[in-house]
Amino acid sequence: MARLVERSIIVTGAAQGIGAAYAKALASEGAKLALCDLAPPDETADAIRSAGGTVLARACDITQPAAVAAFAAEVEREHGGIQALVNNAALFGNLALKSLEDITSEEWDQVMRVNVRGTFECIKAVMPAMRRQGYGKIVNIASATVFKGAPMMLHYVASKGAIVALTRSVAREVGDAGIRINCLAPGLTMSANVEANQDWAGRIVEANIASRCLKRDAVPDDLIGALVFLASGESDFMTGQTIVVDGGSVTH
């Protein structure tokens, strides 16, 4: 039986790659999807509709609070509520590996603005609907790099460390309102953007695979089971937690 029947779920960064895989998987479990990205995620939405799913797709910059609030209000109005939010939108696949001395202040601020403040803006935007319902599930996307202290990507790792801390703090603040918030922390996953980035080729990927208990590439489908669990009622007595899905590179 589908585990997300009639749940209204927002997925950010759903135009391609892992976000698109998340959206399609949630729809296959019966969820009503609301998707956003910088450009309208129409291709993902069309695939969901073709499979018989219900979906709303909009362009939305998650760093713009008015736009995010308007999107959340439309989702609540059109779908009758917001049961879950998947905070997937982030800068990663197109980032170049570089030493901390080579990361500019502007690039640092851009990564923090999207990865941390964008996540905050989305959480803030769904709070009114979730408080009215007395229920909600928020799934933040962190990264296994937080637990490794991965080098050459300090801004990204720091931003995802902030997401783990944010998740724990929000869990304490909104638990009494019936809202649960947890993190999914993937390892290096071979999405289209990662595969196109030459910094994630050859020995770096090989070394990452060698560090795993399960020695193979990670693909977006490897993350689906944990995501559906966190978005469903099966995890209703979990909050403030981080689940690492990386083939056992990190044992957290």
Side-chain angles (χ1 to χ4, degrees):
M1 182 176 178
R3 292 178 283 174
L4 302 173
V5 172
E6 292 303 305
R7 288 197 175 212
S8 169
I9 301 179
I10 293 173
V11 181
T12 68
Q16 60 181 339
I18 295 174
Y22 288 161
K24 293 170 187 176
L26 295 169
S28 74
E29 290 286 344
K32 297 182 290 186
L33 270 295
L35 313 178
C36 70
D37 212 312
L38 286 174
D42 292 334
E43 186 175 338
T44 307
D46 288 344
I48 290 171
R49 291 190 188 101
S50 296
T54 300
V55 59
L56 181 153
R58 297 289 184 267
C60 183
D61 182 344
I62 64 168
T63 69
Q64 300 299 316
V68 177
F71 177 62
E74 181 183 10
V75 175
E76 184 182 17
R77 184 171 63 251
E78 294 296 321
H79 286 178
I82 301 171
Q83 279 72 50
L85 162 68
V86 179
N87 270 317
N88 169 69
L91 296 179
F92 170 67
N94 296 323
L95 295 177
L97 296 177
K98 58 182 68 173
S99 69
L100 67 93
E101 292 95 338
D102 290 330
I103 296 173
T104 65
S105 299
E106 291 75 19
E107 185 175 348
W108 177 277
D109 288 347
Q110 182 186 27
V111 170
M112 291 297 170
R113 183 171 63 252
V114 175
N115 294 9
V116 184
R117 191 167 66 75
T119 294
F120 160 74
E121 299 291 1
C122 292
I123 292 170
K124 187 176 179 180
V126 302
M127 276 296 121
M130 290 185 175
R131 287 188 186 277
R132 280 191 288 270
Q133 295 161 180
Y135 182 86
K137 306 298 289 285
I138 298 170
V139 184
N140 291 331
I141 307 301
S143 169
T145 59
V146 171
F147 305 100
K148 290 182 173 183
M152 304 300 288
M153 49 194 313
L154 179 60
H155 46 359
Y156 176 77
V157 177
S159 75
K160 291 303 184 177
I163 294 303
V164 173
L166 178 153
T167 299
R168 293 170 177 171
S169 183
V170 173
R172 294 284 183 189
E173 185 166 337
V174 304
D176 287 346
I179 301 167
R180 292 84 165 163
I181 178 167
N182 294 289
C183 271
L184 174 61
L188 179 62
T189 304
M190 302 312 289
S191 66
N193 280 343
V194 170
E195 289 180 336
N197 187 337
Q198 290 303 305
D199 280 0
W200 294 111
R203 286 180 295 176
I204 289 180
V205 174
E206 292 167 5
N208 195 286
I209 292 172
S211 73
R212 295 172 175 163
C213 301
L214 307 174
K215 291 179 173 54
R216 64 166 175 81
D217 280 336
V219 296
D221 282 353
D222 290 319
L223 307 172
I224 297 307
L227 175 72
V228 172
F229 169 69
L230 291 175
S232 76
E234 296 170 5
S235 57
D236 273 0
F237 202 55
M238 275 182 64
T239 194
Q241 306 304 311
T242 298
I243 297 177
V244 178
V245 181
D246 73 342
S249 180
V250 169
T251 52
H252 167 67

